[in-house]
Amino acid sequence: MKETGDRRQGTVLCLLFVYHKKYSFKETENRPLSPHLILKSMSLIKTDKVSYEYIRRDKDGAVEGINKAVDEIDLSVEKGDFIAILGANGSGKSTLAKHFNALLYPVGGTVFVGGMDTRDEEHLWDIRQTTGMVFQNPDNQIIGTVVEEDVAFGPENMGVKSRDIWERVIRSLKSVDMFEYRKHSPSRLSGGQKQRVAIAGVLAMQPECIVLDEPTAMLDPMGRKEVIASIRELNKTFGITIILITHYMEEAVHADKVYIMDKGRIVMQGTPKQIFTNVEELRGVGLSVPKVTELAFELRRRGVDLPEGILTETELANELCRTLSEAKHRKF
Amino acid sequence: MIRDITLGQYYQTESVLHGLDPRLKIIGTFLYIISLFLVRDIFGYAVAGIFLAVLIVLSHVPFKFMVRGLKGILVLLIFTGVVNVFLTPGEVLVSVWKFNITREGLKVGSRMVIRLVFLVIGSSLMTLTTTPNRLTDGLERVLKPLKRLKLPVHEMAMIMSIALGFIPILIEELDKIMKAQSARGADFESKKLSARIKSMVPILVPLFVSAFRRAGDLATAMEARCYHGGEGRTKLKPLRYRRADYIAYLVLILYFILIIAEGIIF
Ligand SMILES: Nc1ncnc2c1ncn2[C@@H]1O[C@H](COP(=O)(O)OP(=O)(O)OP(=O)(O)O)[C@@H](O)[C@H]1O
Ligand SMILES: [Mg+2]
């Protein structure tokens, strides 16, 4: 009974996998590649008027409508940057992110990663190695049945020698503080731990940039803190470029630059301070500012003397103390 | 309850057999099964039986785990035994109604049963002493020659190991779905078969939907990590033969020669 159960599930997965392999081949189209040499010296990632459309088809395969998920986006990411991309549901964040490591190809415009045009088949593996990707659901991106084997998956695909793989696995696991769990089964780990294993799996490929697509969306507050701490650590100590896509404003506060997306376009960009000052504008695109900023905003509107763009609790506390003591002085 | 299902049937312990290379164990099991079909008489069975007994002792796996595999084929065992005992023509020993028990029948029947028992215990010995991961690795290497025939050996091994990893996740999901549907009044305990089958639909549909989504996500994640088939792929833990493996191969060959020689001489 037990055996047949296992076997049946195995077969189901086989079928699913084969099905997926068969139907997931990319549609490449014949646009001439851009001469990438000009841009070689420039940014790590650069997009030039990038657009992407999902084509909706009815059940006979006829085109029913076109869904423009990404609409002429220009952005550039420099080495060592910490970028945050925010936007309401369906604003095209994930679609954009998948362009950064050639999981999707632009319908219009060009994406350059390390100077390479992502549509250039020849560089596909270089591009995927340059920008690693961490996804939202921790369960759906873990491939190995033991932590260390999962982390080794990327280097194995790249054909790294066994001894070097070991070195990379150990180093990556240590840098996300998961080394002691290397012999564990991933299914027994907490969500935050699983995501850190996923990050280690990307790190083991020694990328220059890591794109994280809502890595904390399915985690509890503890797990969220762990993961964000790991990400910041990688950025600060190892200089790895981070592109963090998130719903949580608090996570974007530490970024060097924030992009706000709405309906496939970038509608705002700037430092967190610049962005979160525009509370009303953000509400307009279905976003809210960090709790602290919102509190400060409401206090300011009601006449409390506070500066714009307060992002952290410490800042708010300091400013409040200042205003309070000033008010006291005025009284006496 | 569903969560109690353990992965594969690996039995974790230290032993000579556990340390051996999976390729050796796969080939060894295969040869052992062939040898069971080569033996003709009681001496042959004795050799095969002693060989198996020695392996069981060496494996440090409690005997009851081996017998567990037999439960699954109990019906088959009884059926094989009974059919052979009653339907083999020969010297009649006892007559029951229209059926005769013959001397030849007893002989053939008992041999068939012993053969099946050895076969099942022999192969569960392999799965009990080898982790699923090493087993798939071994299988991939052993079956590599079949690639020439355009069989997707690497892909099959990959699918197997991924499936193994996903079993706990799917089981958890199944558990969740069943609880959710019970909360809505689904009846999984009903005596009526039709009601039971009907109650499976609202479980299987969401399970399949989520499995499809997972398969899609996983394929994307694998591609993002540079997966492009078995071509040029290296291994974190490559399979390497050690001295014990060569000795084991030698023992295996000696056993096989013994079985063949025994068949020729007697
Ligand atoms: N596979 C698909 N087929 C068709 N349309 C899609 C597909 N994936 C996304 N879309 C559509 O493209 C648009 C952008 O989706 P995308 O997933 O990029 O948004 P998102 O910003 O990541 O949203 P979320 O915050 O929910 O993750 C949405 O309108 C969505 O409906
Ligand atoms: Mg998304």
Side-chain angles (χ1 to χ4, degrees):
Chain A
M1 164 60 212
K2 177 180 108 185
E3 270 176 88
T4 50
D6 286 0
R7 214 172 297 136
R8 201 178 310 132
Q9 280 163 356
T11 322
V12 168
L13 260 164
C14 285
L15 289 177
L16 293 185
F17 196 78
V18 171
Y19 167 88
H20 188 84
K21 279 248 118 169
K22 216 165 163 182
Y23 295 101
S24 72
F25 286 116
K26 272 168 243 92
E27 301 161 20
T28 31
E29 25 129 17
N30 304 319
R31 265 192 305 136
L33 299 171
S34 313
H36 61 266
L37 291 172
I38 313 159
L39 288 140
K40 196 140 204 168
S41 59
M42 314 285 278
S43 323
L44 183 58
I45 293 179
K46 181 161 176 55
T47 69
D48 180 28
K49 294 213 172 16
V50 164
S51 300
Y52 190 84
E53 292 159 352
Y54 288 105
I55 297 171
R56 281 198 312 273
R57 291 174 192 280
D58 59 17
K59 56 184 186 295
D60 306 321
V63 177
E64 210 176 47
I66 288 175
N67 193 351
K68 202 151 198 175
V70 169
D71 193 2
E72 300 208 344
I73 282 190
D74 287 313
L75 60 78
S76 64
V77 179
E78 306 301 325
K79 247 188 190 152
D81 271 359
F82 188 144
I83 303 280
I85 300 180
L86 301 172
N89 287 116
S91 55
K93 304 179 300 282
S94 303
T95 310
L96 179 65
K98 284 187 180 144
H99 282 82
F100 295 154
N101 67 346
L103 287 170
L104 290 179
Y105 303 109
V107 175
T110 331
V111 181
F112 295 99
V113 174
M116 299 171 276
D117 188 331
T118 56
R119 280 174 302 145
D120 193 351
E121 284 276 345
E122 208 181 301
H123 293 130
L124 182 61
W125 308 115
D126 290 332
I127 289 166
R128 295 212 172 137
Q129 193 243 307
T130 309
T131 52
M133 190 138 181
V134 175
F135 299 90
Q136 180 175 352
N137 190 334
D139 284 327
N140 296 358
Q141 55 185 318
I142 286 180
I143 292 122
T145 39
V146 182
V147 166
E148 60 188 12
E149 285 175 11
D150 180 72
V151 175
F153 184 74
E156 283 180 340
N157 291 331
M158 289 156 57
V160 178
K161 270 189 270 155
S162 303
R163 269 192 49 199
D164 300 337
I165 300 182
W166 273 112
E167 223 167 81
R168 287 176 180 219
V169 167
I170 291 167
R171 216 176 323 133
S172 322
L173 280 173
K174 276 186 176 159
S175 51
V176 294
D177 212 9
M178 285 295 291
F179 183 63
E180 59 201 284
Y181 293 94
R182 65 193 181 282
K183 300 276 180 215
H184 286 227
S185 153
S187 58
R188 298 276 156 83
L189 299 177
S190 75
Q193 289 173 328
K194 279 183 202 167
Q195 279 306 48
R196 282 181 316 173
V197 170
I199 293 172
V202 171
L203 271 184
M205 294 164 65
Q206 302 188 336
E208 291 188 52
C209 171
I210 303 183
V211 181
L212 303 106
D213 189 356
E214 300 190 39
T216 59
M218 303 183 84
L219 308 182
D220 55 13
M222 258 316 281
R224 239 166 25 222
K225 254 187 215 148
E226 284 170 21
V227 171
I228 292 297
S230 284
I231 294 171
R232 291 187 66 193
E233 171 81 10
L234 293 180
N235 180 248
K236 264 198 283 185
T237 16
F238 301 100
I240 291 175
T241 312
I242 301 285
I243 299 180
L244 175 66
I245 294 172
T246 180
H247 264 140
Y248 295 100
M249 302 298 140
E250 283 78 3
E251 294 173 357
V253 164
H254 310 292
D256 297 319
K257 191 163 186 188
V258 179
Y259 288 95
I260 307 285
M261 283 187 71
D262 185 38
K263 300 196 185 80
R265 294 178 160 275
I266 288 180
V267 288
M268 292 168 79
Q269 55 180 300
T271 62
K273 252 198 170 48
Q274 289 165 350
I275 296 287
F276 295 132
T277 317
N278 304 316
V279 177
E280 237 109 64
E281 205 175 321
L282 281 172
R283 283 184 184 155
V285 294
L287 290 174
S288 59
V289 293
K291 294 267 149 32
V292 179
T293 315
E294 185 155 20
L295 179 62
F297 175 78
E298 293 296 336
L299 286 173
R300 228 165 77 86
R301 230 177 40 175
R302 283 170 173 71
V304 181
D305 171 29
L306 286 171
E308 279 190 332
I310 286 178
L311 298 179
T312 62
E313 283 161 30
T314 349
E315 259 180 281
L316 180 61
N318 287 343
E319 290 297 336
L320 278 177
C321 286
R322 185 188 51 79
T323 18
L324 282 177
S325 66
E326 271 172 19
K328 240 191 227 160
H329 281 302
R330 242 175 278 140
K331 247 183 202 163
F332 297 109
Chain B
M1 64 181 187
I2 296 174
R3 280 163 187 255
D4 295 339
I5 298 174
T6 47
L7 260 192
Q9 15 174 354
Y10 177 64
Y11 183 86
Q12 171 81 51
T13 179
E14 297 272 315
S15 84
V16 190
L17 285 199
H18 282 74
L20 289 179
D21 193 281
R23 286 169 290 181
L24 161 77
K25 284 189 262 190
I26 291 166
I27 293 170
T29 310
F30 190 63
L31 281 184
Y32 185 72
I33 290 172
I34 292 178
S35 80
L36 287 178
F37 288 91
L38 291 178
V39 294
R40 293 265 158 260
D41 56 18
I42 192 81
F43 298 108
Y45 282 109
V47 173
I50 290 168
F51 184 67
L52 191 60
V54 171
L55 289 183
I56 290 172
V57 171
L58 282 180
S59 76
H60 293 184
V61 179
F63 189 64
K64 66 169 191 236
F65 280 88
M66 322 251 167
V67 185
R68 218 180 252 180
L70 288 178
K71 267 194 214 149
I73 61 156
L74 199 62
V75 177
L76 182 69
L77 279 181
I78 294 171
F79 183 75
T80 314
V82 169
V83 164
N84 276 298
V85 165
F86 283 102
L87 296 185
T88 313
E91 182 190 333
V92 178
L93 293 177
V94 188
S95 241
V96 185
W97 188 42
K98 272 186 190 168
F99 298 103
N100 300 320
I101 298 179
T102 62
R103 179 185 293 277
E104 283 74 14
L106 276 180
K107 218 162 140 190
V108 175
S110 56
R111 276 181 189 181
M112 285 301 275
V113 170
I114 291 175
R115 195 176 274 170
L116 275 174
V117 168
F118 281 7
L119 195 150
V120 170
I121 293 183
S123 38
S124 39
L125 200 57
M126 171 178 74
T127 49
L128 282 165
T129 59
T130 321
T131 59
N133 267 335
R134 275 170 64 82
L135 207 57
T136 42
D137 273 2
L139 219 52
E140 183 177 350
R141 290 284 302 139
V142 169
L143 297 181
K144 210 172 177 184
L146 294 183
K147 257 191 191 163
R148 291 245 181 82
L149 305 176
K150 297 259 189 278
L151 279 178
V153 176
H154 164 78
E155 283 75 8
M156 291 313 286
M158 193 57 149
I159 289 169
M160 251 175 83
S161 63
I162 288 177
L164 283 170
F166 262 77
I167 287 169
I169 292 171
L170 287 185
I171 287 172
E172 205 171 297
E173 186 128 321
L174 182 65
D175 211 20
K176 248 192 248 165
I177 294 172
M178 279 179 79
K179 276 187 189 134
Q181 302 294 25
S182 311
R184 292 176 194 160
D187 179 14
F188 302 123
E189 320 290 326
S190 171
K191 293 248 161 49
K192 268 205 303 205
L193 190 65
S194 64
R196 281 245 292 280
I197 291 173
K198 252 190 206 153
S199 72
M200 291 310 283
V201 174
I203 294 176
L204 289 182
V205 170
L207 191 67
F208 266 80
V209 169
S210 104
F212 269 94
R213 206 187 41 238
R214 276 180 201 285
D217 282 3
L218 192 69
T220 311
M222 286 168 73
E223 271 190 37
R225 276 160 85 181
C226 290
Y227 181 70
H228 52 282
E231 206 74 20
R233 205 162 183 272
T234 47
K235 290 261 176 195
L236 175 71
K237 301 167 183 167
L239 296 174
R240 250 188 231 112
Y241 283 125
R242 277 181 227 149
R243 233 181 65 194
D245 297 309
Y246 293 118
I247 296 170
Y249 267 122
L250 211 65
V251 172
L252 195 62
I253 291 167
L254 284 178
Y255 161 79
F256 208 69
I257 290 174
L258 195 64
I259 289 286
I260 292 172
E262 191 270 344
I264 294 169
I265 293 164
F266 295 99

